[in-house]
Amino acid sequence: MKLEHTKYKNVTILIKGQEINFAEGIADVQNNAIAKELLKLSYIKEIKEPEIEVK
């Protein structure tokens, strides 16, 4: 899940013993439980990626 940090561009957050690095305000978080915890913070938003239709 891609997340955006709206307050700082380059920051590291320690959550549940894991470091999440935001580079240019964006982090790709593989662990959904960690991502959901981060989304509870007001300055973290999920980046919705458009779904690609396969034909």
Side-chain angles (χ1 to χ4, degrees):
M1 181 181 298
K2 283 196 174 187
L3 301 177
E4 179 181 14
H5 196 295
T6 60
K7 194 170 184 179
Y8 300 109
K9 290 291 178 196
N10 297 305
V11 67
T12 299
I13 296 177
L14 181 63
I15 184 165
K16 293 190 175 187
Q18 272 194 296
E19 288 185 350
I20 306 298
N21 295 311
F22 287 84
E24 297 301 315
I26 302 204
D28 190 11
V29 181
Q30 300 299 321
N31 185 328
N32 282 341
I34 298 287
K36 287 181 182 182
E37 285 295 318
L38 286 169
L39 285 170
K40 292 178 182 177
L41 302 171
S42 62
Y43 43 83
I44 304 290
K45 306 287 182 216
E46 181 179 359
I47 298 174
K48 302 281 186 185
E49 294 183 11
E51 293 195 19
I52 299 169
E53 207 175 289
V54 178
K55 292 184 178 180

